[in-house]
Amino acid sequence: MNLTKQSLIIACSHKEDRLKFFNFFDGLNVKQILTASHLSQMQDLLCDENLDVGLLAVELSSRWIKNTQQLSRLQKNHSGLTVVALVDEDMRLDYAHYREIIQSVSHLLYSPLNHNQLVRLTDLVDQTKQIVELETYRQGAFQASSLPLLLVNAKSQEIVAVNETFLKQFQIYKKRLLGQIWVDYLAQDQQDKINRYQSELNEKGQLEIQSKWSMNGVSFPVKLCAFYLNFNGVPHYLIECHDQSEHVFRQKMLYFLDKIRLLDFVTKRSEELLKQMVLWAEFDFCFMLTKGRKQKYQNIVFDYSKSNHAHHFIESNHDFIFRKLKTQRTLTLSEQASQHIPGDEFITMNDVESIMVFNCRVNKHQQAILVLGGERAFPRWQHLKLLFSKLVEHYRATMAFKMLQHSHESESQYDVLTNLLNRRYIIKHIEKSIEQAAQRKQSLAVVFLDLDRFKVINDSLGHDVGDQVLVNVAQILKDIVGDFGVASRYAGDEFLLLLNRHVSADNIKKVADSILKSVAEPVTLADGSEIKLTISLGIAVYPDHGKLVNTLIKHADVALYDAKLNGKNQYSIYRTELDGEQAKQSEEMVKNLEQAIESDQIDVYYQPKIDAKTEDIAGFEALVRWQHPELGIISPGLFVPLAEQSGLIHKIGLLVIEKAARCLKAWQTRYELPLTMSINLSPIQLNDNRLIDRISYVINQTGIQAKYLDFEITESEKFKSVKDALVMFNRIVDMGCTLSIDDFGTGHSTLDYLRKIPAKTLKIDQVFVKNIGLSPDDEAILDATIDMAKRVGHFIVAEGVETESQRQYLSHKGCDYFQGYLFSRPLPATKIEDILDQRAQILKNY
């Protein structure tokens, strides 16, 4: 065919393909090039008697030629017409269909077109002028390409040409490649597929393979892009060889970085992942050590070394390394480690070339180091350093989290604030004393006491004053009880005393009277002012009132309740009739609570949540209050447990959600602010299958958007089923609401539990905020918790922020929001509106 004397029609949908066809044939001096953008236009051109059409390049697709029958009719109607078929991307050819079409066309190409496909059409034009000669191509575009290229004879599979880019990139001599079978460089599993690859190349004209390429004794991942070319009738493959080492390395590193946060350094699964990391990094040694009794790093946490490196490290001296680790977290040497650290036995005797040592210290009780490296210089050293530094960060965070789970309240014997025994250890003391008393047939007494109206002190004067009061009372208890037993802080403003020495009825009363008298003396505060307070006590005696620790504490609590009901500021000794009285009182309290719900005595107070960056109000937490007409505000700590026991919590909960949502909607509209509202949910509410319907009802009634309602759940063991609770959490989130974990750090969360809860926010319990500047261990736990929460995408709310120094510390650590008396105590809705009015006025003036 000589297209210099005939016309050519290009008929396809895509403008880009038509343009590429046109440019290619235009460069080959074709007589006339016509284009058609739809089927009817193509048919009109073919039927034009004034045109001598020799070649038709037509699209195979649902819009053009669909099948071989149409192709046959086309050639029957236009004898002597050469057809080039262009398969559209949406056209799927099976092998049988392909074989039929290839019999009806001269060439089969695939959209989108590229130059390597078009070169195959050069045999259609006058070969004396237009065929691209092999040598011309080899010396021209092939060598000039910035891509690493191989040219392969399709019949012999031998490499006939290699360009300079390939030689430089893969550092190999041309003579070692020319004449070699190209598939021999592929991984064995790819070599087994070579017949299928060749068939696909010959049929489609192009092919992409992900494989491993072995050369110079080194194997590395590659992406091969192969194209079918024809030079003087001889088929060739043009192969682009793209080194994927960097891409694969980054993908693997990202994989490990993602998996690191799931490690807990205990399970077999985590051990296996650590081994994979070390094997992938190709380190000769990797081990972690913790300090033993002699304060030396001698305990092996794990050792994934090729030899006995960890034990050798323990036996060697490392003065230089440990001196450096005192002032920096990491010591790394990418090469020539023995020259930089001469005299270190571990490095010199093991021919260590590269080494990393990470200080993994959490606090003074939890110190560890991670050591890794090998006998050679490692490529991508900085990337490996980053990966394992992230491992160290996660180790520190998880160890701190485990300490948080067994916080100072349970790990040590003493309460941080009062220095009295804590709840856990007083119970142990009582249990042991009961055993001894049973053997000796002696008595002992348990005294339960708490401060009268302590909630009022905290709310009106602040937690700092409350803490001073608690410390003062603790000192009184320590002084008076010392000769008779031991005192403890049980919880909040509750104290528990064990009298196990010189126990008699007279001495028990003597201790109780002394406490009442001493506590009644005015307490001098740090600012010089004085405050008066009273205390109530309940007493239970072993064995008369119980023989088990839980029974004694329960009966002492019943007696305490009796003392409070009879006017406070006194003690009461347990008697059996109190159980009946307490039941009656509880029943009466439930009736009063039911009446309070009906008469709208249940109110909601709001505490602002402050954005740490802007220091503006971001939202509120809704807090339930019982506004009793005679007794004033009754603390939730008194009536919420009763509401949970009686089932009234569902009605109260709905009231709180509805009132909070209505206020929020009104404030959003009035002040044009995207405020949020946090509402507490008790475990009892979460066990209610109708909870979702209740929340949906409120959303529909108030018109509030679900995304502005945040429900707070407290770490708790009260769920009937953790699995069912997680289902409820997900249902709440599916509605569009959000979840927060309240009082974080005081409950029983595990890392796995934390990952499963679809919460976006953690609220750090105020006990840790209080100890900022007082307890370095609590600060370490706080820091690690914030860091870990940030890394898994949680927002942080710090509760109980009362001082500027606390705010600055938490802000520096990355807390997102604050709540506390530094900004505002909980306030009724009218007071909140006053604050928002003032805010609006200030902004207006600006």
Side-chain angles (χ1 to χ4, degrees):
M1 180 194 310
N2 189 348
L3 289 180
T4 59
K5 299 179 180 180
Q6 289 181 294
S7 298
L8 160 69
I9 296 176
I10 301 170
C12 57
S13 302
H14 300 295
K15 183 178 179 181
E16 293 81 2
D17 286 335
R18 291 201 303 271
L19 183 60
K20 288 176 182 177
F21 265 133
F22 187 93
N23 289 337
F24 176 76
F25 286 110
D26 187 48
L28 296 176
N29 197 25
V30 175
K31 174 186 176 184
Q32 186 179 26
I33 303 175
L34 305 169
T35 61
S37 57
H38 52 82
L39 186 61
S40 60
Q41 187 179 13
M42 177 195 80
Q43 291 171 338
D44 289 343
L45 290 172
L46 288 173
C47 295
D48 190 337
E49 296 180 355
N50 296 320
L51 296 177
D52 180 14
V53 180
L55 176 65
L56 170 67
V58 64
E59 178 181 311
L60 296 187
S61 71
S62 58
R63 298 179 298 277
W64 293 80
I65 304 298
K66 302 182 183 63
N67 50 51
T68 52
Q69 288 78 14
Q70 285 181 286
L71 278 174
S72 298
R73 286 199 300 272
L74 185 67
Q75 291 186 318
K76 182 179 179 181
N77 294 333
H78 304 282
S79 59
L81 180 67
T82 300
V83 178
V84 174
L86 177 67
V87 182
D88 191 58
E89 289 178 296
D90 67 357
M91 192 81 166
R92 296 290 178 264
L93 302 183
D94 58 27
Y95 184 72
H97 196 190
Y98 165 79
R99 295 306 301 174
E100 288 180 6
I101 291 176
I102 201 68
Q103 300 300 321
S104 303
V105 299
S106 170
H107 289 76
L108 194 62
L109 307 179
Y110 293 84
S111 180
L113 281 168
N114 59 51
H115 178 72
N116 292 308
Q117 289 191 80
L118 292 168
V119 167
R120 297 169 58 192
L121 303 180
T122 55
D123 61 343
L124 295 176
V125 299
D126 188 350
Q127 294 189 8
T128 61
K129 295 182 180 180
Q130 282 79 32
I131 292 181
V132 179
E133 297 289 346
L134 175 60
E135 283 305 313
T136 302
Y137 177 71
R138 286 171 58 175
Q139 298 302 322
F142 180 77
Q143 281 299 340
S145 176
S146 61
L147 297 172
L149 301 177
L150 294 174
L151 195 61
V152 175
N153 184 295
K155 293 181 179 179
S156 67
Q157 301 297 312
E158 293 180 356
I159 299 172
V160 297
V162 54
N163 73 351
E164 289 298 324
T165 305
F166 189 102
L167 298 175
K168 288 180 180 179
Q169 183 166 329
F170 299 108
Q171 298 180 353
I172 191 169
Y173 294 108
K174 184 187 298 186
K175 291 181 179 179
R176 295 185 60 182
L177 285 174
L178 295 181
Q180 301 299 314
I181 306 298
W182 74 280
V183 296
D184 290 346
Y185 293 99
L186 297 179
Q188 185 60 50
D189 62 326
Q190 301 293 333
Q191 293 183 32
D192 296 340
K193 303 174 185 176
I194 193 60
N195 290 333
R196 179 165 66 84
Y197 290 157
Q198 284 182 257
S199 177
E200 187 172 343
L201 249 177
N202 294 335
E203 293 167 1
K204 293 187 176 181
Q206 60 188 46
L207 175 69
E208 186 175 297
I209 306 171
Q210 297 285 348
S211 181
K212 281 201 171 180
W213 188 271
S214 298
M215 195 163 51
N216 288 338
V218 178
S219 181
F220 50 89
V222 292
K223 179 177 76 172
L224 301 178
C225 299
F227 304 94
Y228 179 98
L229 301 180
N230 193 304
F231 297 103
N232 292 352
V234 179
H236 287 76
Y237 301 147
L238 176 67
I239 300 174
E240 297 173 2
C241 189
H242 301 272
D243 187 351
Q244 296 290 93
S245 299
E246 190 67 28
H247 173 74
V248 171
F249 176 85
R250 289 180 179 176
Q251 291 297 110
K252 194 69 173 179
M253 184 169 170
L254 289 173
Y255 168 80
F256 284 128
L257 284 172
D258 182 61
K259 292 296 181 184
I260 279 175
R261 63 187 180 86
L262 304 179
L263 288 171
D264 62 12
F265 298 93
V266 175
T267 66
K268 291 290 183 183
R269 184 178 177 184
S270 293
E271 288 182 12
E272 188 59 36
L273 184 60
L274 283 168
K275 288 179 182 177
Q276 289 179 21
M277 286 176 62
V278 175
L279 184 64
W280 169 73
E282 299 182 332
F283 287 131
D284 295 318
F285 55 87
C286 177
F287 51 85
M288 178 176 278
L289 306 175
T290 57
K291 283 189 174 180
R293 291 182 179 179
K294 297 181 180 179
Q295 289 299 297
K296 291 184 63 178
Y297 288 107
Q298 58 189 41
N299 300 324
I300 301 174
V301 179
F302 59 77
D303 182 12
Y304 305 132
S305 306
K306 295 180 180 178
S307 187
N308 197 26
H309 287 89
H311 289 285
H312 191 193
F313 188 91
I314 292 171
E315 294 166 357
S316 305
N317 292 320
H318 311 283
D319 292 338
F320 178 84
I321 292 175
F322 291 144
R323 190 166 65 250
K324 285 290 184 182
L325 291 182
K326 286 182 180 180
T327 57
Q328 59 194 57
R329 286 196 179 274
T330 307
L331 172 65
T332 66
L333 293 169
S334 58
E335 56 185 351
Q336 298 180 331
S338 59
Q339 294 184 25
H340 288 88
I341 313 178
D344 189 294
E345 294 178 357
F346 174 79
I347 292 175
T348 55
M349 295 185 66
N350 290 284
D351 297 322
V352 174
E353 175 74 7
S354 307
I355 189 170
M356 298 186 198
V357 187
F358 293 94
N359 186 341
C360 309
R361 182 183 186 277
V362 178
N363 61 20
K364 62 183 179 181
H365 305 295
Q366 185 73 41
Q367 301 192 54
I369 56 172
L370 176 68
V371 185
L372 41 90
E375 299 175 11
R376 63 186 181 88
F378 290 84
R380 306 182 183 90
W381 178 258
Q382 292 301 322
H383 293 84
L384 295 175
K385 178 182 174 182
L386 171 64
L387 175 65
F388 283 89
S389 65
K390 290 297 182 183
L391 175 69
V392 169
E393 288 177 17
H394 180 70
Y395 172 81
R396 293 180 65 246
T398 50
M399 291 301 103
F401 184 80
K402 291 179 188 300
M403 293 174 65
L404 181 65
Q405 289 179 276
H406 310 285
S407 63
H408 62 276
E409 294 281 1
S410 59
E411 284 297 300
S412 64
Q413 296 187 33
Y414 298 98
D415 172 58
V416 172
L417 178 65
T418 64
N419 206 30
L420 297 179
L421 275 181
N422 62 32
R423 179 175 184 154
R424 179 183 180 187
Y425 277 86
I426 189 63
I427 291 174
K428 286 188 175 183
H429 273 262
I430 296 173
E431 288 174 341
K432 187 174 181 180
S433 295
I434 288 174
E435 291 177 6
Q436 294 172 347
Q439 293 172 358
R440 300 168 185 171
K441 297 184 179 180
Q442 296 175 341
S443 296
L444 59 84
V446 172
V447 183
F448 211 149
L449 58 105
D450 77 2
L451 300 179
D452 300 328
R453 298 188 180 278
F454 182 70
K455 176 82 171 139
V456 176
I457 295 173
N458 258 346
D459 287 349
S460 59
L461 301 177
H463 289 281
D464 281 347
V465 172
D467 286 351
Q468 293 179 50
V469 169
L470 292 175
V471 170
N472 188 277
V473 171
Q475 189 58 51
I476 291 172
L477 297 178
K478 194 182 298 183
D479 293 342
I480 294 175
V481 177
D483 293 335
F484 300 95
V486 63
S488 74
R489 185 185 181 192
Y490 194 69
D493 65 325
E494 296 176 341
F495 297 87
L496 191 63
L497 313 180
L498 168 64
L499 307 181
N500 59 355
R501 295 192 296 272
H502 315 300
V503 179
S504 65
D506 288 342
N507 282 342
I508 292 172
K509 294 178 181 179
K510 178 181 176 182
V511 169
D513 286 330
S514 297
I515 292 172
L516 289 168
K517 182 179 179 181
S518 297
V519 171
E521 294 291 328
V523 176
T524 302
L525 302 176
D527 61 1
S529 61
E530 293 185 345
I531 185 173
K532 290 185 177 182
L533 44 117
T534 60
I535 199 166
S536 299
L537 302 88
I539 302 169
V541 179
Y542 170 88
D544 300 344
H545 305 146
K547 296 182 179 181
L548 298 175
V549 61
N550 290 339
T551 306
L552 287 171
I553 293 175
K554 176 184 176 183
H555 287 164
D557 191 24
V558 170
L560 170 64
Y561 191 69
D562 179 65
K564 284 187 173 291
L565 286 176
N566 285 286
K568 303 184 179 66
N569 193 27
Q570 59 182 291
Y571 67 82
S572 176
I573 300 175
Y574 174 79
R575 53 190 187 278
T576 54
E577 57 264 31
L578 289 181
D579 290 329
E581 291 178 14
Q582 188 184 39
K584 290 180 182 178
Q585 291 159 357
S586 295
E587 186 177 343
E588 186 65 28
M589 192 75 162
V590 170
K591 289 181 180 179
N592 291 338
L593 190 54
E594 286 178 331
Q595 185 179 355
I597 296 171
E598 295 300 325
S599 58
D600 199 27
Q601 294 175 20
I602 302 301
D603 199 4
V604 181
Y605 276 40
Y606 304 92
Q607 186 171 35
K609 182 167 66 176
I610 306 301
D611 188 305
K613 292 181 179 178
T614 65
E615 297 191 19
D616 197 2
I617 296 174
F620 303 92
E621 179 180 0
L623 301 164
V624 65
R625 297 289 187 266
W626 180 357
Q627 190 75 42
H628 196 282
E630 297 175 2
L631 301 177
I633 295 178
I634 298 177
S635 168
L638 294 177
F639 72 85
V640 168
L642 191 64
E644 290 180 331
Q645 293 170 16
S646 63
L648 291 174
I649 192 66
H650 301 300
K651 287 186 177 180
I652 293 174
L654 181 60
L655 277 174
V656 172
I657 296 172
E658 188 169 6
K659 286 189 174 185
R662 288 193 186 282
C663 280
L664 181 63
K665 181 64 176 178
W667 295 337
Q668 286 181 342
T669 304
R670 179 175 173 181
Y671 301 103
E672 298 182 349
L673 292 172
L675 300 168
T676 61
M677 183 67 72
S678 297
I679 304 169
N680 292 279
L681 292 178
S682 81
I684 306 302
Q685 287 175 276
L686 290 166
N687 293 330
D688 180 15
N689 289 328
R690 293 175 295 174
L691 176 62
I692 299 299
D693 293 335
R694 297 177 195 270
I695 297 173
S696 296
Y697 168 79
V698 171
I699 290 173
N700 292 331
Q701 287 293 311
T702 61
I704 193 73
Q705 291 187 45
K707 66 180 180 179
Y708 294 116
L709 294 182
D710 177 70
F711 291 98
E712 295 187 5
I713 54 175
T714 305
E715 297 180 86
S716 173
E717 290 179 326
K718 294 182 181 178
F719 302 129
K720 288 181 181 178
S721 164
V722 172
K723 182 179 179 181
D724 291 344
L726 290 173
V727 171
M728 183 61 76
F729 297 156
N730 283 305
R731 290 182 66 189
I732 291 172
V733 171
D734 289 342
M735 293 177 65
C737 303
T738 59
L739 283 179
S740 297
I741 300 178
D742 195 14
D743 298 336
F744 186 70
T746 61
H748 311 276
S749 287
T750 64
L751 285 171
D752 182 60
Y753 181 63
L754 182 60
R755 285 197 300 269
K756 289 179 179 178
I757 295 179
K760 291 296 184 183
T761 303
L762 299 183
K763 299 188 74 174
I764 303 295
D765 188 71
Q766 60 185 352
V767 68
F768 298 102
V769 176
K770 278 185 178 181
N771 290 332
I772 291 173
L774 301 175
S775 170
D777 284 359
D778 273 1
E779 286 183 6
I781 294 170
L782 181 63
D783 294 352
T785 304
I786 292 173
D787 177 66
M788 179 187 64
K790 284 288 188 182
R791 288 168 57 205
V792 295
H794 286 72
F795 294 106
I796 300 293
V797 179
E799 297 183 294
V801 181
E802 298 185 358
T803 67
E804 179 61 22
S805 60
Q806 290 172 351
R807 185 198 69 79
Q808 291 180 1
Y809 181 92
L810 292 164
S811 181
H812 177 70
K813 294 299 179 182
C815 275
D816 300 288
Y817 302 100
F818 302 130
Q819 277 182 242
Y821 281 25
L822 178 65
F823 307 99
S824 174
R825 67 190 63 194
L827 298 169
T830 54
K831 296 292 185 183
I832 293 295
E833 288 174 4
D834 290 342
I835 292 175
L836 291 173
D837 283 338
Q838 292 172 11
R839 176 193 176 279
Q841 188 62 42
I842 291 171
L843 291 177
K844 183 179 179 181
N845 292 336
Y846 276 96

